[in-house]
């Protein structure tokens, strides 16, 4: 008899965004005359930058000729892309990261979900609350947690992000081994300062732990004091892995390209205390289970590092940040406190009431979809996430409807 991996039965029955989709579908079916505006799911709406489209066309033409056709590429990514990333995302910020420490992939979701495979099952986890649900769910699937009791998986150290700490969690009082951090944060949009990240690096060093730093939204940082990479913190290359994505940077959510940085100086230990290279382990895992991102897609990704590409990415992220500024101003005018939106495409609104109830009220009274904070963790209760990913016209209409509904 085939037995299942019972860890999967510990997962909460459905995924947040399918719950939301069900409620929105039920509403639109019952009210076909009331068009809904979606400021819920974190997907981009603007087309790819023109430099990426030109690179995609040119690379597709290369695939049409025997002389330039490409079959399997290097699993870790083509050198032209890894070198462009090392130069523009790291050397330009004085981060000591080499091209061969960069692993190109088809998504930060897969990478931050898969990375846990190379660590032991008794690894002690620290996971922010609220946060991108992939970190916890993939560890539940692997069997690194107990069952969920009262909305929290047993055995996990949750890093509470609340109004009291400005949504930047404090260092835990207990030792942990694998710490997930996400700045700018999804869902709160909060960012961490260099001093705050330096404390995490020191904590990881002290505990011989590893930080998993997800900076999928770094392209939205506008405050020059806020670090874009964990490697801007001295010593971080000995204790941190970083995840980045072209999804929110350049509209690649449907095109799929991302990367993970695993420095060669990073170590993990076997049961006898012997040190092993995490880079070598991840390289082994990546080359065994992944066969590389399509050549035209890597060419399109590399195009964002040209001077025109950089300008087009800035214009696109500025556009979403313009939406975010309108949302922040409207929410503040209605008397709610909020964070995010200034260095991130998400605005985290402290509604002071049940987050699903607030979601329902916005859907039925304003026909606007937001994301209930409770879906991102226990500390998300009382909050909703509003996303800046939409057209300017839709954002303006949605804000006018919200203001009218809350009058
Ligand atoms: N990390 C965070 C924090 C995200 O919010 C998302 C997507 O919403 C991802 C990673 C996934 O990015 P990708 O599209 O590269 O899989």
């Amino acid at each position: 008899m085939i037995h299942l991996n019972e860890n999967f039965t510990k997962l909460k029955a459905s995924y947040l965004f399918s719950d939301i989709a069900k409620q929105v579908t039920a509403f639109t079916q019952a009210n076909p005359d009331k068009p809904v505006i979606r400021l819920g799911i974190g997907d981009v709406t603007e087309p790819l930058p023109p430099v990426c489209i030109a690179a995609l066309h040119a690379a597709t033409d290369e695939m049409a000729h025997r002389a330039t056709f490409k079959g399997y590429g290097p699993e870790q990514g083509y050198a032209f892309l890894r070198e462009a990333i090392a130069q523009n995302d790291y050397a330009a910020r004085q981060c000591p990261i080499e091209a061969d420490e960069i692993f190109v992939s088809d998504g930060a979701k897969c990478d931050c979900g898969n990375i846990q495979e190379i660590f032991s099952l008794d690894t002690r986890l620290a996971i922010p609350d609220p946060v991108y649900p992939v970190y916890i769910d993939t560890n539940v699937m692997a069997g690194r947690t107990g069952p969920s009791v009262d909305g929290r998986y047993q055995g996990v150290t949750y890093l509470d992000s609340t109004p009291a700490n400005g949504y930047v969690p404090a260092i835990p009082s207990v030792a942990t081994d694998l710490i997930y951090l996400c700045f700018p944060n999804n869902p709160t949009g909060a960012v961490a300062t260099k001093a705050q990240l330096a404390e995490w690096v020191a904590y990881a060093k002290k505990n011989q732990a590893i930080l998993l730093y997800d900076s999928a939204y770094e392209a939205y940082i506008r405050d020059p004091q806020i670090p874009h990479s964990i490697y801007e913190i001295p010593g971080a290359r000995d204790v941190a892995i970083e995840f980045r994505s072209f999804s929110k940077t350049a509209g690649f959510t449907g095109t799929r390209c991302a990367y993970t940085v695993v420095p060669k100086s990073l170590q993990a230990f076997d049961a006898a205390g012997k040190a092993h290279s995490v880079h070598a382990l991840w390289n082994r895992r990546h080359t065994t289970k992944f066969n590389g991102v399509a050549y035209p897609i890597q060419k399109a990704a590399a195009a964002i590092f040209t001077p025109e590409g950089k300008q087009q990415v800035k214009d696109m992220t500025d556009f979403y940040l313009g939406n975010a500024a309108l949302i922040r101003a409207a929410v503040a005018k209605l008397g709610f406190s909020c964070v995010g939106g200034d260095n991130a495409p998400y605005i985290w609104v402290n509604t002071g009431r049940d987050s699903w109830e607030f979601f329902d009220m916005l859907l039925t009274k304003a026909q606007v979809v937001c994301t209930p904070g409770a879906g991102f963790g226990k500390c998300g209760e009382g909050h909703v996430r509003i996303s800046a990913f939409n057209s300017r016209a839709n954002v303006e209409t949605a804000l006018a409807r919200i203001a009218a509904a809350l009058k």
Side-chain angles (χ1 to χ4, degrees):
M1 183 193 293
I2 179 74
H3 286 175
L4 51 81
N5 173 353
E6 288 195 25
N7 294 311
F8 278 65
T9 65
K10 294 180 198 160
L11 290 165
K12 287 199 210 98
S14 62
Y15 187 57
L16 171 65
F17 291 105
S18 18
D19 288 347
I20 294 173
K22 268 187 225 143
Q23 297 215 25
V24 175
T25 306
F27 178 83
T28 47
Q29 279 173 354
N31 302 276
D33 54 327
K34 291 187 176 163
V36 159
I37 298 177
R38 289 163 209 271
L39 299 180
I41 197 158
D43 197 358
V44 295
T45 52
E46 296 304 295
L48 289 174
V51 284
C52 300
I53 296 296
L56 273 174
H57 281 296
T60 306
D61 286 343
E62 286 185 61
M63 297 299 259
H65 302 283
R66 182 166 284 112
T68 48
F69 169 79
K70 303 268 184 304
Y72 290 126
E75 292 97 336
Q76 302 89 341
Y78 284 99
F80 66 79
L81 179 56
R82 299 172 90 194
E83 279 158 17
I85 293 167
Q87 180 54 43
N88 293 281
D89 284 345
Y90 294 106
R93 291 190 186 280
Q94 287 77 49
C95 298
I97 295 299
E98 301 298 328
D100 63 357
E101 296 177 316
I102 294 162
F103 293 84
V104 175
S105 78
D106 61 353
K109 185 182 208 174
C110 323
D111 288 351
C112 62
N114 290 329
I115 196 81
Q116 47 78 27
E117 271 184 35
I118 61 172
F119 301 108
S120 82
L121 280 182
D122 59 6
T123 296
R124 294 166 297 179
L125 303 169
I127 301 190
D129 176 356
V131 88
Y132 187 50
V134 173
Y135 312 150
I136 186 75
D137 285 0
T138 52
N139 277 290
V140 173
M141 289 172 180
R144 226 171 258 109
T145 74
S148 172
V149 176
D150 196 19
R152 287 199 152 174
Y153 291 100
Q154 301 298 288
V156 175
T157 297
Y158 284 91
L159 305 171
D160 291 354
S161 310
T162 62
N165 58 26
Y167 304 96
V168 178
I171 306 283
S173 52
V174 295
T176 57
D177 307 308
L178 195 62
I179 303 107
Y180 290 76
L181 295 175
C182 177
F183 294 112
N185 185 270
N186 177 11
T188 69
V191 289
T193 62
K194 276 193 182 156
Q196 286 165 329
L197 293 184
E199 281 186 47
W200 283 107
V201 168
Y203 170 83
K205 280 209 162 144
K206 183 173 146 215
N207 293 295
Q208 294 186 298
I210 287 182
L211 304 175
L212 298 177
Y213 194 74
D214 185 343
S215 58
Y217 296 95
E218 66 75 33
Y220 292 83
I221 295 173
R222 291 294 179 271
D223 181 341
Q225 300 301 319
I226 297 296
H228 289 238
S229 165
I230 189 73
Y231 304 118
E232 289 179 52
I233 311 304
R237 59 169 284 120
D238 300 333
V239 291
I241 290 172
E242 180 160 288
F243 304 101
R244 288 267 185 110
S245 172
F246 293 87
S247 283
K248 309 300 160 70
T249 301
F252 275 56
T253 53
T255 309
R256 311 306 302 145
C257 196
Y259 64 86
T260 291
V261 181
V262 188
K264 289 189 179 157
S265 45
L266 197 62
Q267 296 186 323
F269 304 89
D270 64 22
K274 183 171 171 257
H276 295 257
S277 157
V278 174
H279 180 278
L281 290 178
W282 183 246
N283 189 52
R284 187 72 171 88
R285 191 260 169 221
H286 192 76
T287 52
T288 302
K289 295 197 176 183
F290 187 65
N291 246 347
V293 173
Y295 172 72
I297 305 294
Q298 294 194 54
K299 279 297 223 186
I304 75 162
F305 297 114
T306 58
E308 314 88 280
K310 284 179 191 172
Q311 188 56 49
Q312 290 170 13
V313 161
K314 169 129 192 334
D315 292 347
M316 182 189 274
T317 48
D318 275 350
F319 167 74
Y320 291 127
L321 285 168
N323 285 346
L326 292 177
I327 297 168
R328 268 183 78 104
V331 163
K333 205 168 161 198
L334 290 167
F336 297 107
S337 62
C338 65
V339 281
D342 38 7
N343 293 293
Y346 299 124
I347 295 93
W348 187 239
V349 185
N350 190 346
T351 66
R353 29 182 155 153
D354 180 273
S355 69
W356 276 102
E357 193 187 296
F358 196 85
F359 161 87
D360 200 50
M361 187 275 295
L362 282 194
L363 177 62
T364 53
K365 289 201 173 160
Q367 294 89 58
V368 172
V369 182
C370 64
T371 313
F376 295 101
K378 218 174 167 179
C379 294
E381 189 46 273
H383 296 75
V384 295
R385 185 189 78 175
I386 302 184
S387 154
F389 293 126
N390 217 313
S391 67
R392 184 61 48 86
N394 274 351
V395 167
E396 285 170 348
T397 308
L399 294 176
R401 286 195 203 159
I402 294 173
L406 288 173
K407 228 188 233 162

